[in-house]
Amino acid sequence: GTGIAGLTPGLIWLDNAMAAIPASEGYLLVDTKKCQGCASCMLACSLVHEGVENLTLSRIQVIQNPFESYPDDVTIEQCRQCVDPACVKACPEDALKANAKYGNVRMVDRTKCIGCGDCVEACPYMPSRAVISDEKSRKCDLCANTPYHWDDAGGGPNGKQACVEVCPVGAIKFTKKIPVQKGDNGYKVNLRTKNWWKLGYPRD
């Protein structure tokens, strides 16, 4: 493997070669055991991006399974800003790129997007973190491009993210460190403090 410059040696490793595009300078981490399933993050996401509160248009998804019990009844699926993103590779129109202006966040150029859905099919995670709506692709941009109600905050890796700001229990965290890319452990983490342990939440 090849280490990534600037990170703790041995902490983050990629297979054989670096990705063909620069790594994003920001990532979202989530604690599924801390999440209360309130969907505030989803409503905030759709509001700042689309100007409406619509769970379908949210880039982050809280999924609840009524047939399971805690802690397996709720999960959070967020765009991972993958170091080697399958969605970017799959786009036939070069509409998905690492945007250098916003810290190489993987973003959709909607003027180029033809709504073919190749990015959705290519995403290895379920549900896909790219979605097609109004015949255009949408995906998380870490709030770099949020034309509704978020101008003052300033998003992207050097700004704020609506889902992080609005979560009432702090179950979503922003980081600039590249998470482990294989499996879920790099992105689904423990954000619980000892105060949460006192309430009976698990420590791990």
Side-chain angles (χ1 to χ4, degrees):
T2 303
I4 298 177
L7 297 181
T8 304
L11 179 63
I12 306 296
W13 295 90
L14 297 178
D15 287 340
N16 300 324
M18 297 295 289
I21 62 175
S24 173
E25 294 178 12
Y27 305 84
L28 294 178
L29 309 180
V30 299
D31 187 337
T32 59
K33 294 179 182 177
K34 195 177 185 184
C35 175
Q36 306 296 299
C38 70
S40 294
C41 57
M42 297 176 67
L43 294 172
C45 178
S46 68
L47 181 62
V48 299
H49 285 95
E50 309 295 338
V52 295
E53 292 183 328
N54 184 326
L55 299 180
T56 303
L57 296 177
S58 174
R59 277 76 166 161
I60 188 170
Q61 291 288 316
V62 176
I63 302 172
Q64 302 187 45
N65 185 346
F67 300 105
E68 289 284 359
S69 58
Y70 179 83
D72 300 317
D73 58 334
V74 174
T75 187
I76 309 174
E77 299 299 335
Q78 79 279 30
C79 178
R80 301 191 178 203
Q81 292 292 328
C82 299
V83 170
D84 191 17
C87 59
V88 174
K89 288 181 177 179
C91 182
E93 299 296 322
D94 201 27
L96 273 164
K97 291 184 176 181
N99 191 315
K101 179 180 177 181
Y102 294 108
N104 297 315
V105 170
R106 286 79 171 104
M107 293 175 64
V108 179
D109 183 343
R110 299 188 69 193
T111 65
K112 292 184 177 182
C113 176
I114 59 173
C116 66
D118 285 0
C119 56
V120 175
E121 294 296 326
C123 181
Y125 304 104
M126 292 294 292
S128 170
R129 293 297 78 233
V131 297
I132 301 295
S133 179
D134 300 329
E135 299 183 349
K136 296 291 183 179
S137 175
R138 290 173 166 84
K139 69 183 296 297
C140 174
D141 58 4
L142 297 175
C143 287
N145 182 21
T146 48
Y148 301 95
H149 312 296
W150 199 243
D151 292 341
D152 293 339
N158 294 315
K160 296 181 179 180
Q161 298 74 42
C163 60
V164 176
E165 294 297 307
V166 79
C167 181
V169 295
I172 310 171
K173 177 184 178 181
F174 172 82
T175 182
K176 283 181 171 284
K177 290 185 178 180
I178 300 174
V180 173
Q181 295 295 291
K182 284 190 174 182
D184 289 334
N185 291 340
Y187 289 88
K188 295 184 178 180
V189 299
N190 185 348
L191 299 175
R192 280 152 275 139
T193 63
K194 62 182 180 181
N195 292 325
W196 285 84
W197 305 342
K198 292 176 181 178
L199 294 173
Y201 283 77
R203 296 191 177 202
D204 54 17

